[in-house]
Amino acid sequence: MVDGTPILPGLSPVQGKAVVARFDGGRLSSEGGLLALREIESRLGLADRLAACLRDPRAPERVAHRLAEMIRFRMLMIAAGYEDGNDADSLRADPMFKLALDRSPSDAELCSQSTISRLENLPDMRALLRLGRALIEQYCASFRQVPKRIVLDVDDTFDRVHGGQQLRLFNAFHDDYGFQPIVVFDGEGRFVTALLRPGKRPGGHEIRAFLRRLVGALRAHWPRVEILLRADSHYACPEVFDWCRNNRVDWVLGLAPNAALKRHVEALEKTTAERFTTAPARGKVRRFAQFHDAARSWSRVERIIARVEAGAEGTDTRFIVTNLEGGRAKQLYQRLYCARGQAENHIKAWKNHLAADRTSCHEATANQFRLFLHAGAYWLLWSMRRLMPKASAWRVMQFDTLRLRLIKIAARVVELKKQIKIHLPSSTPDQAIFGIILSRLPRLIT
């Protein structure tokens, strides 16, 4: 029998023996870690939750791939590092992806790239609203019991585009065209929601409308929950202050410095610089002050906290504004407000490690749906990391490292009459952690 698979050229011999390599291994996969992600997704039920928000226009008797199956396939692809829908044409025959979607290796292939594209363009505005609420339901379901207080870290991030997509806008700061979606995580890194929007700074009325929908959806599940909003100076505007105060939402927000604020800390800046000059070997000097002030557009004075830092590079002063009445200025700034810096890492994981900026569809509705699909992939990897031992490095590992260590594992799949055998490499470095993950799956709350 002649093997029609071509031999890879240019391989050097080893100990005088020719090295012959072909892509003819059969049912092999490089995604052995999908075993764990499959179990995580089935307990979260996220694909079914999202699919329930969509109306399938297809004739039921002709459906080969259910919506939930397509969504699950797409989220697993993203989690495994395949952010491009074109990869579905190759991965649809992968035995591990088939198993992850409850199909045997010998069953029909999974959906193709064209089917994925039709899925992404399926939701209309009403469906997207339902999908957004479904993500918030997923967030609320991830708690064992109703929390007394939650912290919401709200931020926007620039998303460059390279075509004529709807909502794209030129951003002078980034000197490019793009979107600037608003993304929300909680204080522990859970994904809450994301909103696709033009590539410009959000205004007060837009932020207020966004918060009204977000807080309304959360309080529909938890009417008495206390909410603390953390964000940078983009969100420090009178519309946000007034709405939050009237709706039992606390806030700690960055505040852009100006001449009026600087006048309150002139003396503190001078004495802080003098202290550093006196003993520079001790390092930077950091001091805090608080006062009440208001811009002309504000409806009332607010509590403002200033952080003044003097070092070899000079004096640096930052401001935050809050409606919290208690707490020392230093604690509110360093322990409460600065903790929002962790949200930058969550955005990095979602945007860079999971390629959430892959918003290359023409329709804005399709790109918004893509944000939700990438949010689903984030939930899969965040939940996997959450199952790790608290004191281990696995608990804080970046998603890209987690993927390389636990998902990108070679697997040989053998389908027998009564069982399916999966052979993983005996030299896999992190074998023990798989047992820990699978044993802790009941801890996932759905």
Side-chain angles (χ1 to χ4, degrees):
M1 178 177 178
V2 178
D3 194 334
T5 306
I7 298 175
L8 292 179
L11 298 178
S12 303
V14 176
Q15 295 184 359
K17 299 179 181 179
V19 177
V20 180
R22 292 188 177 98
F23 287 103
D24 59 353
R27 289 174 181 165
L28 302 178
S29 175
S30 59
E31 320 297 333
L34 290 179
L35 287 171
L37 282 186
R38 169 182 180 266
E39 300 299 329
I40 290 172
E41 197 286 324
S42 66
R43 281 159 176 78
L44 292 178
L46 186 54
D48 291 324
R49 192 188 298 273
L50 297 179
C53 301
L54 303 176
R55 294 186 176 90
D56 195 341
R58 301 173 296 175
E61 67 276 7
R62 302 185 66 180
V63 170
H65 309 285
R66 297 182 300 108
L67 291 179
E69 186 181 66
M70 289 188 281
I71 292 173
R72 185 175 295 112
F73 184 28
R74 191 71 184 99
M75 291 193 305
L76 290 172
M77 283 176 58
I78 296 169
Y82 301 101
E83 73 275 5
D84 196 330
N86 292 336
D87 294 320
D89 286 341
S90 300
L91 297 174
R92 60 187 305 205
D94 187 287
M96 290 305 304
F97 275 100
K98 285 186 176 182
L99 291 177
L101 271 68
D102 294 327
R103 293 196 180 195
S104 298
S106 58
D107 286 345
E109 293 183 341
L110 305 176
C111 62
S112 65
Q113 175 272 328
S114 58
T115 305
I116 292 289
S117 295
R118 286 191 290 270
L119 169 69
E120 292 174 342
N121 285 274
L122 178 61
D124 57 12
M125 289 300 298
R126 292 182 180 273
L128 290 175
L129 290 173
R130 293 193 295 268
L131 288 164
R133 287 193 292 269
L135 272 182
I136 293 177
E137 290 172 1
Q138 175 64 46
Y139 169 71
C140 294
S142 67
F143 288 81
R144 294 180 180 273
Q145 57 186 8
V146 177
K148 180 180 178 181
R149 184 183 184 89
I150 59 174
V151 178
L152 298 181
D153 289 316
V154 184
D155 205 351
D156 47 83
T157 180
F158 188 69
D159 174 5
R160 285 180 174 84
V161 299
H162 306 284
Q165 290 94 328
Q166 293 178 349
L167 294 185
R168 77 164 192 156
L169 196 66
F170 184 78
N171 187 295
F173 180 82
H174 295 280
D175 194 28
D176 210 341
Y177 286 90
F179 307 126
Q180 196 152 329
I182 295 177
V183 192
V184 184
F185 298 89
D186 80 349
E188 296 183 350
R190 294 178 177 87
F191 199 101
V192 183
T193 193
L195 173 67
L196 186 75
R197 49 179 307 282
K200 63 178 181 178
R201 175 175 174 169
H205 294 287
E206 181 184 0
I207 297 169
R208 181 176 61 189
F210 174 76
L211 291 176
R212 183 188 299 118
R213 293 192 298 269
L214 173 60
V215 173
L218 289 170
R219 291 234 165 98
H221 292 271
W222 303 326
R224 298 183 180 180
V225 68
E226 298 176 5
I227 298 176
L228 173 67
L229 177 68
R230 291 192 304 208
D232 62 17
S233 59
H234 288 188
Y235 299 83
C237 50
E239 294 88 351
V240 173
F241 299 158
D242 295 339
W243 187 89
C244 288
R245 182 173 280 108
N246 294 332
N247 290 274
R248 299 187 294 112
V249 176
D250 296 325
W251 75 80
V252 178
L253 305 173
L255 194 60
N258 55 46
L261 296 176
K262 286 277 192 177
R263 283 196 292 269
H264 287 276
V265 294
E266 285 178 350
L268 183 63
E269 287 179 333
K270 181 179 179 181
T271 56
T272 303
E274 291 173 351
R275 287 192 181 185
F276 174 77
T277 304
T278 302
R282 295 181 180 179
K284 294 181 179 179
V285 179
R286 176 177 287 192
R287 301 171 71 191
F288 297 86
Q290 60 181 337
F291 53 90
H292 287 77
D293 201 349
R296 184 175 301 176
S297 59
W298 297 5
S299 61
R300 51 168 287 177
V301 296
E302 303 288 356
R303 183 187 182 188
I304 299 173
I305 294 171
R307 187 272 285 158
V308 178
E309 184 177 270
E313 296 82 13
T315 303
D316 177 61
T317 303
R318 304 290 177 90
F319 299 93
I320 63 173
V321 58
T322 181
N323 68 334
L324 297 174
E325 297 180 355
R328 297 171 56 195
K330 180 178 180 180
Q331 292 177 337
L332 289 177
Y333 186 89
Q334 291 193 159
R335 296 186 180 181
L336 189 59
Y337 177 74
C338 287
R340 69 166 290 274
Q342 189 65 23
E344 297 290 341
N345 291 327
H346 305 326
I347 291 176
K348 174 185 176 182
W350 180 64
K351 183 178 175 181
N352 295 347
H353 302 161
L354 295 176
D357 56 354
R358 190 79 173 183
T359 46
S360 54
C361 293
H362 173 71
E363 300 288 338
T365 51
N367 284 323
Q368 175 65 71
F369 187 36
R370 282 193 175 191
L371 295 186
F372 289 155
L373 291 173
H374 287 263
Y378 179 97
W379 267 107
L380 296 182
L381 291 180
W382 183 89
S383 300
M384 172 183 277
R385 190 170 63 184
R386 192 74 172 179
L387 293 171
M388 303 298 182
K390 288 185 178 181
S392 69
W394 293 97
R395 195 62 176 263
V396 294
M397 191 172 287
Q398 292 190 152
F399 283 176
D400 57 345
T401 306
L402 199 67
R403 177 190 298 133
L404 288 173
R405 300 280 293 273
L406 296 182
I407 298 177
K408 297 297 183 181
I409 298 175
R412 180 164 62 92
V413 182
V414 179
E415 184 178 0
L416 304 176
K417 183 177 181 180
K418 293 186 177 181
Q419 64 179 191
I420 297 174
K421 288 187 176 182
I422 301 174
H423 301 272
L424 303 173
S426 302
S427 57
T428 301
D430 305 304
Q431 299 179 27
I433 201 68
F434 275 94
I436 294 176
I437 293 173
L438 295 175
S439 66
R440 294 188 174 193
L441 282 173
R443 299 187 183 190
L444 289 178
I445 302 300
T446 59

